C-alpha cells in the first residue's frame, strides 16, 4: 500500500440513514475531516436499492424519520401513514441537500479493504476506485440488510434462464413492466408480501413460490390529513420521547397484561381491534408475553390463522398460507396491503416449495420436484445476508492483521454492537449485538451515532489515540445477548435474525432482544463509568 494516502479524521462507509446522520454530526458538529463512501450513485441506502413494486416502510412515517432537527421535522410533510419507497428516498435526498452532506460523499465507490496500521494507530482504507486513504476512525454505516442473498448461490441454472430476473434489493431504476408477463416470485418475507399484490395487479399471471408461510398483519395505509399532520407536528417532542424511551423505538403503548390473564373473548376482541388498527401495534400492544410464552403466542397464531381462512376463499390455499413452523413475531413480522386477498385472484397461484422444493431454474422457468412453471420474469425476494454480510464483504483487518471474518468465524462478537475487540477505532452503527433490526431503525441509528459522536469527541478532546472493546467485556456482552434471546421464543425460528437464510452461516441470534430502553441505559452507564469495557490509549 502507498504511504502517500490522503489523511482524514473519519471514514464513513455508507450514505443511508446512518451514514448521513453520522456525516452531519461528525463533520458539522465536531468539525472533523470526514470522507464517506457510498456504493450507490446517490444517498438513501436501503431506500436507494429497494425500489421493487410495493416497497414501503412498515413503520409509520412520522416516527420512521430523524428526530435530531426540529426544523427538519416541522418543514417535512409526509403524505401517508406508511410512505412508499420514492417518498422516503425523496426525504433522504432532502436531508442530504438541507444539511449539505453530498460534498462529503464519494458515490459509486465501495470500500474494499480496511487495515489497522498499528505503528500509526490509523486505518488505511482502500476503495473500488483505487483510492487509498488514512483515517483515525472508521464508522461503518453499511446497513443491516444490504448484502443481497444472491439467487445464484441458491438456485442452479439461473444463467440458462431465457427470461428476465431481478432481485428486489437491486431493482432497476426505471422499473419493470410486467404487463402481459408470466411472473414468478420467490420469497414470502416482508418484501415478497409487499410486492405480491402490486405485481399481481399488473402481470398476466403471478406464481408465488413459498418456502415458509408468514404471519402478515394489514398495514391499513391511508393518507395523512392536514389535521393529522398538524397534530403530529405539534406533538413531536412527546412522540420522540416516547420512541427513545420505549423498548422497540415506537411511540406505542405496550400492554402490560399477559395473554393468560384475560378471557378468550377479551383476547379475541383485543386482537380484532389491533387487526383493524393495523401494523406493528398488533405485536406491540396486544400482550406483554407474546414473544416469550408459548401459550400467549399460540393465541395470536390461532387468531391470524383464522383471519387467513376468512380472507382466502380457497380453503386449500388458505391452509398453505397459515404458518406452522415458527411462533408469531419470531421472524420479522410483515405488514401488508391486500396480501392474503390477492390469492383470491384468478391470475395468482401459490406453490408450496417446502413440500416440493425448487430443483433448478430452467431456460423456460422454475422447476420444482413435481412440476415446471413456465415464466417470462423471475423476481427473487430472497432477502439479505443480514447484519454481518455487508461488513464481512469488506476485507477488514484489525490488530495483528486479523481479519473480521476470522474474529467472527463462529458468529459475530461485539461489545454493545458498537465495537469489536482487536479492531480499535472502528465503530459499527446498529451492529450485531445491538437492538438494531428489532426496533424502529431511525431511533436505533440516532442513538448509535450520538453515542459514537460523544465518544469521538471525548477521544479528541482528551488527546487519546485509540479506543477498543476489551476481550472480557466483549465475551460478557456476547453471552448476555445470547442469554437474553434464550429467554424468548425468537431462537425457535429459522430466521435471518439467526442467519438461517444463508447456507453455512453460523447460527447465532444477532440482535439484542432486551429492548432499546434497557440498551440505551447500558450504553449511557458505560460512558458514565469512563467507557467501562473499552481500553483507551
Ligand atoms: P426475508 O425476510 O429474508 O425473506 C426472504 C424470503 O425468501 C423468505 O420467504 C425465504 O424463505 C425465501 N427464500 C430465501 N431463500 C430461498 C430459497 N432458496 N428457496 C425458496 N425460498 C427462499 O427477506 P425480505 O427481503 O422479505 O425482508 C428483509 C427485511 O427487509 C425485512 O425483514 C424488513 O426488515 C425489511 P424462508 O423464510 O427462509 O424459508
Amino acid at each position: 500500500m502507498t504511504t502517500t494516502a490522503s489523511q482524514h479524521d473519519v471514514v464513513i462507509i455508507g450514505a443511508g440513514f446512518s451514514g448521513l446522520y453520522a456525516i452531519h454530526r461528525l463533520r458539522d458538529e465536531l468539525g472533523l475531516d470526514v470522507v464517506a463512501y457510498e456504493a450507490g450513485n446517490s444517498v438513501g441506502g436501503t431506500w436507494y436499492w429497494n425500489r421493487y413494486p410495493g416497497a414501503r416502510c412498515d413503520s409509520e412515517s412520522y416516527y420512521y424519520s430523524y428526530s435530531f432537527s426540529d426544523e427538519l421535522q416541522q418543514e417535512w410533510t409526509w403524505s401517508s401513514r406508511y410512505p412508499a419507497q420514492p417518498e422516503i428516498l425523496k426525504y433522504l435526498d432532502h436531508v442530504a441537500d438541507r444539511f449539505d452532506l453530498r460534498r462529503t460523499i464519494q458515490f459509486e465507490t465501495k470500500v474494499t479493504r480496511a487495515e489497522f496500521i498499528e505503528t500509526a494507530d490509523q486505518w488505511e482504507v482502500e476503495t473500488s476506485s483505487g483510492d487509498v486513504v488514512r483515517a483515525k476512525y472508521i464508522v461503518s454505516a453499511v446497513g443491516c440488510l444490504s448484502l443481497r442473498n444472491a439467487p445464484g448461490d441458491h438456485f442452479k441454472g439461473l444463467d440458462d434462464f431465457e427470461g428476465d430476473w431481478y432481485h428486489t434489493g437491486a431493482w432497476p431504476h426505471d422499473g419493470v413492466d410486467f404487463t402481459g408477463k408470466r411472473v414468478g416470485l420467490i420469497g414470502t418475507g416482508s418484501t415478497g408480501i409487499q410486492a405480491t399484490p402490486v405485481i399481481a395487479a399488473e402481470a398476466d399471471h403471478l406464481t408465488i413460490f413459498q418456502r415458509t408461510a408468514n404471519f402478515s398483519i394489514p398495514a391499513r395505509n391511508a393518507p395523512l390529513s392536514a389535521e393529522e399532520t398538524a397534530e403530529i407536528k405539534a406533538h413531536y417532542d412527546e412522540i420522540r420521547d416516547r420512541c427513545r424511551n420505549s423498548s422497540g423505538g415506537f411511540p406505542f403503548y405496550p400492554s402490560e397484561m399477559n395473554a393468560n390473564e384475560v378471557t378468550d373473548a377479551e383476547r379475541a376482541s383485543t386482537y380484532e381491534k389491533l387487526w383493524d388498527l393495523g401494523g406493528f401495534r398488533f405485536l406491540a400492544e396486544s400482550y406483554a408475553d407474546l414473544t416469550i410464552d408459548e401459550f400467549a403466542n399460540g393465541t395470536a397464531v390461532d387468531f391470524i390463522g383464522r383471519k387467513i381462512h376468512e380472507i382466502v376463499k380457497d380453503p386449500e390455499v388458505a391452509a398453505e398460507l397459515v404458518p406452522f413452523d415458527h411462533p408469531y413475531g419470531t421472524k420479522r413480522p410483515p405488514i401488508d396491503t391486500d396480501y392474503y386477498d390477492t390469492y383470491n385472484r384468478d391470475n395468482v397461484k401459490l406453490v408450496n416449495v417446502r413440500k416440493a422444493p425448487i430443483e433448478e431454474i430452467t431456460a423456460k422457468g422454475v422447476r420444482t420436484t413435481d412440476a415446471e412453471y413456465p415464466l417470462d420474469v423471475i423476481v427473487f425476494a430472497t432477502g439479505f445476508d443480514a447484519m454481518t454480510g455487508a461488513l464481512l464483504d469488506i476485507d477488514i483487518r484489525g490488530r495483528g492483521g486479523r481479519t473480521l471474518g476470522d474474529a467472527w468465524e463462529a458468529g459475530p462478537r461485539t461489545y454493545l454492537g458498537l465495537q469489536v475487540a482487536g479492531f480499535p477505532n472502528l465503530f459499527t452503527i446498529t451492529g450485531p449485538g445491538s437492538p438494531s433490526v428489532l426496533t424502529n431503525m431511525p431511533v436505533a441509528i440516532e442513538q448509535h451515532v450520538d453515542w459514537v459522536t460523544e465518544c469521538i469527541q471525548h477521544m479528541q478532546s482528551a488527546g487519546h489515540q485509540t479506543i477498543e472493546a476489551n476481550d472480557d467485556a466483549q465475551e460478557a456482552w456476547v453471552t448476555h445477548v445470547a442469554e437474553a434471546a434464550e429467554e424468548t421464543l425468537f431462537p425457535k425460528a429459522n430466521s435471518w435474525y439467526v442467519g438461517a437464510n444463508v447456507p453455512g452461516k453460523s447460527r447465532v441470534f444477532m440482535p439484542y432482544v432486551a429492548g432499546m430502553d434497557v440498551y440505551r441505559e447500558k450504553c449511557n452507564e458505560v460512558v458514565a463509568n469512563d467507557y467501562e469495557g473499552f481500553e483507551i490509549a
Side-chain angles (χ1 to χ4, degrees), residues 46 50 52 58 145 149 151 154-155 167-169 186-193 209-214 325-326 331-334 353-354 358 380-384 437 494-497 500-501:
T46 286
N50 286 273
Y52 59 85
D58 288 341
L145 294 152
N149 206 358
H154 290 260
F155 306 103
H167 188 285
T168 49
I186 302 178
T188 51
S190 299
T191 300
I193 282 175
F209 297 91
Q210 171 189 276
R211 186 167 68 181
T212 306
N214 221 325
D325 65 349
H326 64 282
K331 293 182 106 162
R332 159 67 156 71
V353 297
R354 174 74 63 97
I358 295 173
F380 292 94
T382 45
F384 302 88
V437 293
N494 287 325
S495 64
W496 55 255
Y497 296 146
N501 62 329

Side-chain angles (χ1 to χ4, degrees), residues 128-141:
S128 53
S129 49
D131 291 349
V132 177
V133 300
R134 281 195 176 196
K136 182 168 174 183
Y137 308 98
I138 294 181
V139 175
S140 160

Side-chain angles (χ1 to χ4, degrees), residues 348-465:
V348 170
K349 181 177 176 58
L350 178 67
V351 173
N352 183 334
V353 297
R354 174 74 63 97
K355 284 185 182 157
I358 295 173
E359 285 213 314
E360 62 174 342
I361 310 292
T362 64
K364 299 292 172 209
V366 169
R367 193 165 62 75
T368 66
T369 50
D370 67 3
E372 182 170 0
Y373 298 87
L375 300 166
D376 304 307
V377 182
I378 304 175
V379 175
F380 292 94
T382 45
F384 302 88
D385 182 350
M387 308 212 57
T388 56
L391 260 178
L392 291 173
D393 201 37
I394 304 170
D395 180 7
I396 299 178
R397 289 160 193 264
R399 287 200 189 280
R402 188 171 194 218
T403 65
L404 188 63
D406 233 10
W408 284 5
E409 205 188 348
R413 312 185 81 70
T414 72
Y415 181 40
L416 301 170
L418 277 163
Q419 273 214 341
V420 183
F423 296 78
N425 295 2
L426 166 66
F427 298 98
T428 50
I429 303 302
T430 62
S434 73
S436 57
V437 293
L438 296 178
T439 71
N440 175 31
M441 286 302 287
V443 176
I445 286 167
E446 286 191 331
Q447 186 264 340
H448 258 196
V449 171
D450 290 343
W451 192 96
V452 170
T453 303
E454 194 185 332
C455 173
I456 291 181
Q457 185 172 31
H458 169 74
M459 295 285 295
Q460 294 299 96
S461 59
H464 296 309
Q465 289 311 307

Side-chain angles (χ1 to χ4, degrees), residues 147-390:
L147 187 74
R148 291 180 287 281
N149 206 358
D153 296 348
H154 290 260
F155 306 103
K156 64 176 182 195
L158 188 56
D159 288 344
D160 301 332
F161 183 54
E162 289 169 358
D164 298 319
W165 66 266
Y166 308 92
H167 188 285
T168 49
W171 203 256
H173 286 204
D174 40 9
V176 175
D177 185 2
F178 293 109
T179 317
K181 301 272 169 66
R182 296 162 305 172
V183 182
L185 172 71
I186 302 178
T188 51
S190 299
T191 300
I193 282 175
Q194 286 186 338
T196 291
V198 185
I199 298 177
E202 191 179 308
D204 183 50
H205 189 271
L206 174 64
T207 306
I208 296 126
F209 297 91
Q210 171 189 276
R211 186 167 68 181
T212 306
N214 221 325
F215 300 95
S216 190
I217 305 293
R220 312 285 181 209
N221 190 26
L224 282 173
S225 67
E227 294 72 39
E228 285 170 311
T229 299
E231 178 76 7
I232 288 166
K233 287 191 179 181
H235 292 96
Y236 256 131
D237 285 352
E238 185 195 325
I239 292 165
R240 302 301 191 187
D241 264 3
R242 287 225 310 276
C243 289
R244 283 191 203 106
N245 297 312
S246 69
S247 164
F250 297 97
F252 295 160
Y253 296 96
S255 168
E256 286 175 8
M257 190 101 73
N258 287 335
N260 66 3
E261 289 168 351
V262 297
T263 65
D264 291 353
E266 280 170 313
R267 253 193 326 266
S269 143
T270 297
Y271 286 143
E272 199 68 52
K273 192 185 80 199
L274 291 168
W275 180 270
D276 288 344
L277 204 58
F280 288 141
R281 285 193 148 85
F282 188 91
L283 180 60
E285 294 187 352
S286 50
Y287 297 102
D289 55 349
L290 216 61
T291 53
I292 49 177
D293 181 80
E294 305 248 9
F295 166 80
N297 198 280
T299 64
V301 168
D302 291 347
F303 177 86
I304 298 170
R306 276 199 301 279
K307 283 289 177 194
I308 295 171
H309 275 282
E310 267 170 44
I311 300 168
V312 179
K313 297 200 177 93
D314 181 331
E316 283 178 25
V317 177
E320 301 282 15
L321 286 166
V322 174
F324 63 91
D325 65 349
H326 64 282
Y328 167 60
T330 56
K331 293 182 106 162
R332 159 67 156 71
I335 307 296
D336 73 273
T337 300
D338 299 332
Y339 175 64
Y340 294 118
D341 200 33
T342 300
Y343 290 94
N344 294 325
R345 296 177 65 108
D346 292 337
N347 70 333
V348 170
K349 181 177 176 58
L350 178 67
V351 173
N352 183 334
V353 297
R354 174 74 63 97
K355 284 185 182 157
I358 295 173
E359 285 213 314
E360 62 174 342
I361 310 292
T362 64
K364 299 292 172 209
V366 169
R367 193 165 62 75
T368 66
T369 50
D370 67 3
E372 182 170 0
Y373 298 87
L375 300 166
D376 304 307
V377 182
I378 304 175
V379 175
F380 292 94
T382 45
F384 302 88
D385 182 350
M387 308 212 57
T388 56

